[in-house]
Amino acid sequence: MDIPLFSYDSILTMLHGLGAGGGGLLTLFAALFALITMRTDGHLDAVVEKRSRNLRWLIVLAAVLVWGAVIGGTYIVFPPYRATPPEGLTDLTAYPRSLLTSNPETDWLHSFAMETKEHVPWIAAMLATAAAFIAVRYRSRILSDRAINRMTTAVLATCFALAAYAALLGTFVNKVAPLE
Amino acid sequence: MTMAGREPEGAVTNGAALAASLSAGIGALGLGLVVFLNELGVFEVPALYGPAGGVTGRTAAGVVIWLAAWAVLHSRWKDRSKSSGVFGLSLLLVALGVVLTFPPVWHLF
């Protein structure tokens, strides 16, 4: 019997959660680390210019990945999650939302976790875009100008916190009711 | 020192950065309010994509609010310097927007 290792929906979920979401978190963390450890407080030379150019692209990549996770999650992964099962079906494994809400112990994973996850990542995407815009517009000043550096760091840190929170909730949901 | 916040040509201004961060705050609060009022039944935002449901309409509304705010703020502030207090306001709006998307908050009303 031919049993596929991963179903089509589970591959889409992995691309959303591990690829775009996980990649977004990694790049956000790397950008935050660079913003904090590479800031020069006024000093500007060719090395700072080169570092800021690399950092700029890292922040842009983070924004692209966060948007990928958000749009993919909403428009590709969410529809099969919320699909309505046929009347009278007892095995709800293929219908994650119905599976979660059918049990009082897991209902919170939909009524709190998924309901929150539907919206909070969009705010993270707005913040990631703001940080990418600042990085592109202010170029090396994201490292050499203390005020711009702090602002970009705070925006990215807030974005990271929101994205990590959504990712954690997504992990819980996928653990109990994965798309298969 | 500048007149009405406008900087001389070539100077570094923080207006564009603050416009980007404040508009993200306005977008977050806008999205939060749309979600909150939708949940209270004040109005219902139609879905943009049926299979994904109402979340597509609510988030699209939030994105429109964010981009509109950004366009206006950027055109007004891009060559100016603004108080760093604007950034604090941005973070406050983001926090309010996030709180309004929490289901326990909906159930308080």
Side-chain angles (χ1 to χ4, degrees):
Chain A
M1 198 167 104
D2 186 21
I3 301 174
L5 188 56
F6 299 110
S7 69
Y8 177 69
D9 280 344
S10 68
I11 290 172
L12 289 180
T13 307
M14 283 190 281
L15 287 174
H16 156 69
L18 292 177
L25 284 173
L26 278 175
T27 48
L28 283 170
F29 186 83
L32 269 173
F33 183 81
L35 276 168
I36 293 167
T37 58
M38 291 180 185
R39 69 179 168 216
T40 64
D41 291 335
H43 177 68
L44 191 59
D45 59 17
V47 175
V48 177
E49 291 277 0
K50 186 179 179 187
R51 284 179 179 169
S52 65
R53 186 167 57 244
N54 295 335
L55 176 55
R56 198 155 64 232
W57 288 114
L58 185 66
I59 297 174
V60 169
L61 176 62
V64 168
L65 287 169
V66 171
W67 273 111
V70 167
I71 292 172
T74 302
Y75 286 88
I76 298 173
V77 177
F78 194 53
Y81 165 84
R82 70 187 290 273
T84 306
E87 194 78 28
L89 188 73
T90 52
D91 181 6
L92 298 173
T93 310
Y95 300 90
R97 181 178 66 173
S98 300
L99 179 65
L100 293 176
T101 55
S102 68
N103 183 340
E105 287 188 13
T106 58
D107 180 62
W108 72 275
L109 285 168
H110 174 75
S111 62
F112 176 78
M114 188 51 89
E115 291 276 13
T116 308
K117 232 175 88 64
E118 286 177 30
H119 304 108
V120 165
W122 286 82
I123 297 175
M126 292 176 196
L127 290 167
T129 309
F133 172 80
I134 294 170
V136 169
R137 184 170 178 101
Y138 289 86
R139 308 174 78 85
S140 56
R141 291 190 185 104
I142 58 170
L143 291 178
S144 65
D145 184 310
R146 192 174 185 83
I148 295 294
N149 176 276
R150 283 187 166 181
M151 194 187 307
T152 315
T153 304
V155 169
L156 272 187
T158 309
C159 173
F160 179 81
L162 295 178
Y165 173 72
L168 182 67
L169 294 180
T171 306
F172 291 161
V173 170
N174 195 56
K175 173 77 178 162
V176 177
L179 273 174
E180 290 176 345
Chain B
M1 196 62 192
T2 61
M3 290 285 285
R6 187 178 291 278
E7 297 283 345
E9 202 170 324
V12 182
T13 63
N14 65 2
L18 287 173
S21 63
L22 182 59
S23 59
I26 292 171
L29 180 64
L31 174 60
L33 278 173
V34 167
V35 171
F36 183 68
L37 294 175
N38 185 83
E39 290 299 325
L40 291 191
V42 176
F43 61 80
E44 188 170 345
V45 183
L48 274 189
Y49 177 55
V55 65
T56 53
R58 296 191 293 274
T59 52
V63 167
V64 168
I65 292 168
W66 164 53
L67 292 177
W70 195 354
V72 171
L73 289 172
H74 183 77
S75 68
R76 287 169 177 261
W77 290 3
K78 64 183 180 211
D79 298 321
R80 296 169 184 266
S81 278
K82 292 287 172 186
S83 159
S84 56
V86 172
F87 185 64
L89 176 63
S90 310
L91 295 181
L92 178 66
L93 295 183
V94 168
L96 284 172
V98 170
V99 166
L100 287 173
T101 64
F102 278 126
V105 174
W106 312 336
H107 302 314
L108 292 176
F109 297 89

